[in-house]
Structures are given as C-alpha cells and as structure tokens.
Amino acid sequence: MAARRPLLLAALAALVLAGPAEAANEPRRPEPAAKATAKPMPARPTSPAPGRFVPKSEMERGGSTLRGPTQIERPGDDPNDIDPVYGAYQRGLYLLAFSRAIPRAEAGDTAAMTMLGTLYETGQGVKVDLKKAAEWYRLAGDRGDREALAALGQMTIQGRGVAKDPRKAFDLFRAAADKGQPIALFNGAMMLFDGQVVPRNRDTAVRWLAAAAEAGNIEAQYAYATVLLDPEFPGRDAVAGARWMREAAMAGFPAAEIDFALMFANGRGVQKSYENAFVWFQRSALRGNPIGRNRLARMYAAGLGVAPDPVQALTWHTLAKRDGLPDIWLETQLAGLSAADRARGEAEAERIAASAESFAPVHLEETPVEAPALPATPPPAAAPAAPAATPAPAAALEPDAAKKP
C-alpha cells in the first residue's frame, strides 16, 4: 500500500489542480501597468489556423493571451547623471517634465520629443492630444529614437492619433526591434507568430522573444517560457523554460505565478514539490488572482503541500467566488463544515478583502494646462545611439526557489 501512495497522491493532485472549467478557460492577462507606461498590445486571435505554432502556457493549450508590454526605464549615458526631464517624470512632476522637455525638443533632443509624446498621449500635465503625441513620436522616430518608434507603432496598430495601419505598425516595431527596444521586440514577435499582418516566421519570432526576455521585458519572459515548454516546439527546453517562467513569476506576472506553481506540482522543468506549488499559489492568491485563490483553496481542502484546513479552504474559495470563479468540487468538499467553522472562514475572507481594498495606489496629481503649439519643423539632429538594454536577472533556477518568493 505504501508503494502505491505516491501514485494515489499524484492522481489526487491532478484532480485538485485541474480546477473548475471556468478557471481553465479564463484569460490570464497582465496586470494593468501604470497609465504613463502602459501601451496596449494588438489583440490576437484565439483560434490559430491548423499547423500554426503559437506559444502555449501550462494551463492553456488553445492559443496565447499575452497582451500589454512593459516599459523599461530609459537609462542615460551616465547612470549617475539623471536626465532632468526624465527625473521629473519619474517623480510624477509632469508639468515640470513638460516645461523642461519643450526647449530641449525644439533644440532637437529626441528623448525630449519622445517625452512630450508620452505626456500628450497619457494626459499627464497637459490635456490628451493623440495627434500631437503621434507627431512628436514621429519626429523622434525619424531621428532614430527607438522608444518613439515603438510608441508610434502601438498607436498606429490601434489607429490612435494616426490612421490604423497594422503593416506600417509592424515596420515601426521592426525598426525599433533592430535597435533592441524590448516592447517592439515583443510586439513584433507576436505578429510574426500570428502571421496575419506579415508572413509567419517562427524562427525570427522566437529570436525576438528571447532578446526581449533578456532585456527584462516581463511579458516576453513569460511568452518565451511558454515557447520553450511547449511540446510542439522543436527546440523545447523544459529547464530553460522553467528559468524564464521563474523570472516572470518573481517579477509578479500573474499568469507566470500560476504556471510556475503548476510546474512544481507536475515536476516540469523543476523538482516536483507540492510545498513549493503551495507557496506560489499562495503568493498569487494574496495578490488577488482569482485562479490562484481557487487553487489555494483546493490545496487546503486536499492537504496538498500543506496540512488540510477546510476553514482556510472556505476562506479562499469565498474570495475566488467573489471574483467570479465558482467551484462545484469545493462546494461539495466543504458542504460538511459546521456553522461555526463556516462563519470563521467567511469572516477571514472579509478581513482579507478589506485589507486588499485599503492599499489603494497614491498618485501625485497636477492640473493639466494648455501646451504650446507643436513646432512646425524642429531643427534636424543626429540620431543618438540606442541606449543599452537592461539585462534580465540571470539567477540559476533552484528546485526550492519558490520558498523565497
């Protein structure tokens, strides 16, 4: 009987971690980034044509749901010499950033032009004006600024401030990708996987994803991990996939936290460990992910990676249900709870929900002002060298890495 215990435990884990049908089909998208840096990714089809290779996650095998690239910081030539325009922007002093950027942009500074495009696009310090934003991005992009090229590409693919033109958007992404811009590398890779706007090119797409992942783009790290873990990918590498999944999970990417937990539960690319799976589901649950909350409730109910605790199971099941993720299996498992235990579990759910709501983000606000008109023709300036990409952490993957999230 003892020899059969691991098999029985594995079967139980497969049942518990499979989750409700709602969770399996729930699109897991990146958390919304700050308004100042979020630049939406073009929507991707959910049903690829036969024979089309697309990245697949641990939980999803029907297509990728990756959207929303992450901006990286724009370093100066000297790390000890903080650019005054960018420094003001980072502190939330948008009016100051705008006032400092105007004379520099008029003098041909492409970074200042790009900053003005960002402020106009997001309405920080000035009123939103997408046409002016696109024009400043174009002026900077024409002078070789990779950030402006990427930003204008995203406005172009959506038709925001400019005519919608997916093919032109790809050309802008490619120009920025050639300069190592991580967002452009990620977006361009997704379009190359998709094959609707430009011919499908898996090899280039994977190469661009790898470059974006190495540069620190979180979404690219997750996408690259799903590629490396996909059984259909010829260059499949579960260990390398686990390393990149860990990078994205450590950065707080919601889908990566779930998938990394499942990798521990299934022993894919890492040493099998229900305890580590529990830690990552708990981390996801505490960050408010409904799927993480549901899986954590199931692990408490079944005693996987933690001592069985039906009250805790009810707590997290209650929170997941509030987020729109019911679970008949858990309802059945917890049906025998006493009224007192049920009251304790629900009270704890209320406490956790109230704690989460108390941590609202604080933003410095300024009154938008009317901005000076866009200069007709800023003086020409030589294109600056593209700043070096920020490398992703290269920590080696350890089997017990999840114990220290």
Side-chain angles (χ1 to χ4, degrees):
M1 181 65 181
R4 295 180 57 191
R5 179 173 175 76
L7 295 177
L8 293 174
L9 189 60
L12 176 61
L15 171 65
V16 170
L17 298 179
E22 292 87 345
N25 296 323
E26 177 74 12
R28 300 190 316 286
R29 300 183 174 88
E31 292 178 330
K35 184 179 180 182
T37 58
K39 297 184 181 298
M41 174 64 189
R44 301 187 65 249
T46 56
S47 301
R52 179 183 303 173
F53 176 83
V54 295
K56 297 177 183 177
S57 72
E58 179 78 13
M59 290 181 61
E60 297 172 309
R61 297 299 174 190
S64 174
T65 60
L66 301 173
R67 294 196 291 180
T70 301
Q71 280 277 28
I72 63 168
E73 291 191 1
R74 185 190 187 100
D77 295 332
D78 183 351
N80 296 319
D81 182 19
I82 300 177
D83 181 274
V85 176
Y86 186 73
Y89 177 82
Q90 286 294 85
R91 297 195 302 273
L93 303 175
Y94 305 123
L95 284 175
L96 181 60
F98 182 85
S99 65
R100 287 177 174 178
I102 282 289
R104 296 179 63 164
E106 291 174 340
D109 186 322
T110 58
M113 294 178 189
T114 302
M115 177 58 71
L116 289 174
T118 299
L119 294 172
Y120 275 122
E121 182 186 3
T122 59
Q124 293 169 312
V126 295
K127 292 182 179 180
V128 171
D129 190 326
L130 297 180
K131 289 185 178 181
K132 284 186 178 180
E135 182 62 13
W136 278 115
Y137 286 146
R138 184 189 65 78
L139 290 169
D142 287 347
R143 289 158 174 76
D145 189 281
R146 68 177 197 169
E147 311 300 328
L149 289 166
L152 184 58
Q154 294 185 87
M155 294 187 74
T156 302
I157 203 166
Q158 293 182 310
R160 298 171 58 245
V162 293
K164 185 174 183 179
D165 188 337
R167 175 61 211 220
K168 184 176 180 180
F170 177 81
D171 291 339
L172 290 164
F173 289 144
R174 180 171 56 189
D178 288 343
K179 297 175 179 291
Q181 210 286 337
I183 297 172
L185 285 163
F186 173 76
N187 286 0
M190 293 295 99
M191 296 177 78
L192 288 169
F193 273 125
D194 180 66
Q196 291 195 6
V197 175
V198 292
R200 198 171 303 120
N201 188 326
R202 182 187 64 194
D203 294 340
T204 300
V206 173
R207 188 172 69 252
W208 284 11
L209 272 186
E214 290 285 357
N217 183 277
I218 301 170
E219 286 78 7
Q221 290 172 353
Y222 175 72
Y224 189 43
T226 64
V227 169
L228 293 172
L229 291 165
D230 197 303
E232 299 176 16
F233 178 53
R236 183 176 183 271
D237 186 337
V239 175
R243 177 241 170 151
W244 285 113
M245 192 65 75
R246 178 183 182 274
E247 293 288 347
M250 290 293 290
F253 191 72
E257 291 177 334
I258 296 295
D259 282 1
F260 198 45
L262 288 170
M263 290 174 70
F264 274 116
N266 297 322
R268 297 182 67 241
V270 293
Q271 182 177 335
K272 189 170 187 175
S273 170
Y274 293 128
E275 290 76 16
N276 281 347
F278 172 84
V279 168
W280 280 97
F281 282 135
Q282 184 181 54
R283 171 179 167 134
S284 175
L286 289 170
R287 290 167 61 85
N289 189 324
I291 299 175
R293 290 176 167 183
N294 171 265
R295 296 303 189 274
L296 185 64
R298 284 179 163 239
M299 295 195 82
Y300 270 122
L304 287 174
V306 67
D309 190 333
V311 175
Q312 280 293 315
L314 177 65
T315 294
W316 293 105
H317 173 49
T318 300
L319 291 167
K321 282 197 302 182
R322 290 182 181 180
D323 293 330
L325 200 58
D327 190 331
I328 296 176
W329 184 85
L330 278 170
E331 292 286 350
T332 303
Q333 294 295 311
L334 303 175
L337 275 179
S338 66
D341 284 344
R342 188 168 292 276
R344 284 172 50 213
E346 292 174 349
E348 179 66 5
E350 290 289 347
R351 186 193 68 78
I352 294 173
S355 303
E357 291 173 0
S358 68
F359 290 99
V362 176
H363 300 286
L364 294 175
E365 295 186 0
E366 298 180 276
T367 304
V369 298
E370 290 291 345
L374 182 72
T377 307
T390 304
L397 180 70
E398 299 177 1
D400 61 347
K403 292 182 180 179
K404 301 178 182 179

